[in-house]
Amino acid sequence: KAFLVAVERVKKLGYDVESIDFSAFNELAAALYNDAWVTERTVAVERMTTREKAHPVIAQIIAQADKFKAIDALQAEYNRAVLARKINLALQPFDALMVPTAPTIYTIAEVEADPLTKNAHMGAYTNFVNFADLSALALPNVLREDGLPSGVTFIAPAWHDQALANFAQLWQTETSLSLGKSTQHYQKSLEIQSNYSVQLAVVGAHLTGMPLNFQLTSRNATLLKKTQTADAYKLFALKNTTPPKPGLQCDAAGTSIEVEVWDVPLANFGAIVAEVPAPLGIGNLKLKDGTWVKGFICEAYAIQDAIDISHFGGWRAYIQSLNQTAQSVVSKNVGEVSI
């Protein structure tokens, strides 16, 4: 039930949610305790201490290395590479994977009675993360019916740590949970910035689900948030553009326009800019919260014969209105024919 609450919260934040096959994730997670990879732990521990001095549970884990050969380690790496590839391909169409941080909560007595099994089970949804070279961030969710806490972990491709951190601020604000046992609540800090990425606001054909969104996702860009511009912009439907595109212009008499802010790796930003055709360009854009990001803007000459669609509040609403009009015309024509 707690996880379903998290699913609904993600939807409320404006994201689409889809279930995926978790078999490859499970298989790779199991390798952490049940494959030759355990020998890596043996090497790490025995650099610092001996089995005799280690905690009995640790000694039991690293002793498993004795049953593996060099050929087993190589085979384990080959298997890891195959599964990691499957996992990364499975995650490619999505901004992130959301899983329970832990499947349950054990008492200390339960863990002490069977430490290896219980610890392996606790990482059932996350033990694959390092193996698949992914980034992940655990966040609080809600209290369960028994009063114990629950959490969710968001998992994304490597180097998407900043995108996850920025999303975490939205999540923390939405949950309204108190900080521990205190009566204080999370307060959003300044937007987390990175020297290795650029925040880009998109307003039209690059929006999620639109024809040119692939130019972002194929460059490992991730959606940070859905928001609006400051109340000083106008949006125009440009003529003779393929696919159809809008033009955004700063105007003191304007309004706020819906945008998506994407986190673009700095190394890939130039490739995206190079694909922007005239009369569009990339400039500075002010958001409703007062912050500035890079964004799509339009040359003034292009709006002279364009249609002002600012009253729709955004490109997506305008496109939906066109589709509804087309459906209405088709329905009417069909009705006339049937008569």
Side-chain angles (χ1 to χ4, degrees):
K1 291 183 178 180
F3 187 70
L4 294 179
V5 172
V7 171
E8 291 304 314
R9 182 176 294 122
V10 169
K11 293 179 180 178
K12 186 177 179 181
L13 288 172
Y15 293 88
D16 296 324
V17 178
E18 182 178 330
S19 298
I20 63 172
D21 182 2
F22 208 67
S23 56
F25 299 82
N26 279 331
E27 187 175 348
L28 189 55
L32 185 63
Y33 286 92
N34 302 318
D35 208 338
W37 283 104
V38 73
T39 60
E40 186 177 34
R41 296 187 176 197
T42 304
V43 172
V45 172
E46 292 189 341
R47 283 178 176 176
M48 298 180 290
T49 186
T50 63
R51 297 186 188 184
E52 292 72 24
K53 294 180 180 179
H55 187 281
V57 177
I58 302 300
Q60 183 181 354
I61 293 174
I62 63 177
Q64 296 181 68
D66 296 340
K67 66 182 181 182
F68 294 109
K69 301 177 182 179
I71 192 172
D72 297 320
L74 291 172
Q75 186 60 56
E77 166 56 17
Y78 295 151
N79 292 339
R80 183 209 64 80
V82 170
L83 291 170
R85 178 63 174 166
K86 288 182 179 179
I87 287 171
N88 277 275
L89 286 175
L91 294 181
Q92 205 168 58
F94 305 100
D95 295 310
L97 171 69
M98 183 178 72
V99 297
T101 297
T104 188
I105 298 177
Y106 292 115
T107 64
I108 294 176
E110 288 174 325
V111 174
E112 289 179 339
D114 189 6
L116 295 186
T117 302
K118 293 296 189 291
N119 275 284
H121 188 219
M122 289 294 284
Y125 293 112
T126 55
N127 281 344
F128 60 84
V129 171
N130 286 344
F131 277 149
D133 193 24
L134 302 170
S135 55
L137 185 62
L139 295 171
N141 185 21
V142 293
L143 295 179
R144 306 187 319 186
E145 292 180 347
D146 59 6
L148 293 175
S150 69
V152 288
T153 294
F154 290 88
I155 301 167
W159 308 110
H160 283 57
D161 308 76
Q162 183 206 349
L164 289 175
N166 281 324
F167 173 79
Q169 296 204 80
L170 297 177
W171 179 269
Q172 291 277 75
T173 303
E174 182 65 28
T175 58
S176 299
L177 290 173
S178 60
L179 301 179
K181 287 290 186 179
S182 73
T183 57
Q184 297 182 354
H185 289 76
Y186 173 81
Q187 293 184 347
K188 186 177 183 295
S189 61
L190 295 176
E191 202 73 38
I192 300 171
Q193 300 293 333
S194 169
N195 294 327
Y196 304 102
S197 63
V198 178
Q199 292 188 11
L200 176 67
V202 300
V203 70
H206 288 83
L207 293 168
T208 301
M210 293 293 178
L212 298 183
N213 184 250
F214 76 93
Q215 293 182 351
L216 298 174
T217 56
S218 64
R219 272 62 180 262
N220 294 323
T222 55
L223 178 62
L224 289 180
K225 59 185 176 182
K226 298 180 180 181
T227 184
Q228 295 176 316
T229 66
D231 298 332
Y233 288 88
K234 286 188 176 181
L235 191 67
F236 298 85
L238 302 177
K239 292 186 176 181
N240 303 318
T241 57
T242 304
K245 301 180 186 72
L248 184 70
Q249 280 220 321
C250 186
D251 191 314
T255 184
S256 58
I257 303 297
E258 290 184 356
V259 295
E260 291 179 354
V261 180
W262 287 72
D263 188 65
V264 182
L266 186 59
N268 298 335
F269 184 66
I272 293 175
V273 174
E275 292 178 331
V276 179
L280 302 178
I282 301 296
N284 295 311
L285 191 152
K286 188 177 183 180
L287 300 180
K288 196 167 187 178
D289 62 4
T291 59
W292 289 83
V293 296
K294 298 301 178 184
F296 280 81
I297 57 176
C298 183
E299 295 278 4
Y301 74 84
I303 67 171
Q304 295 178 4
D305 61 349
I307 304 172
D308 188 344
I309 58 172
S310 305
H311 58 284
F312 285 97
W315 182 247
R316 195 182 300 279
Y318 170 68
I319 293 296
Q320 289 174 348
S321 73
L322 295 180
N323 292 337
Q324 290 171 357
T325 300
Q327 291 173 1
S328 176
V329 171
V330 170
S331 298
K332 182 177 180 181
N333 288 340
V334 170
E336 291 174 350
V337 171
S338 63
I339 290 174

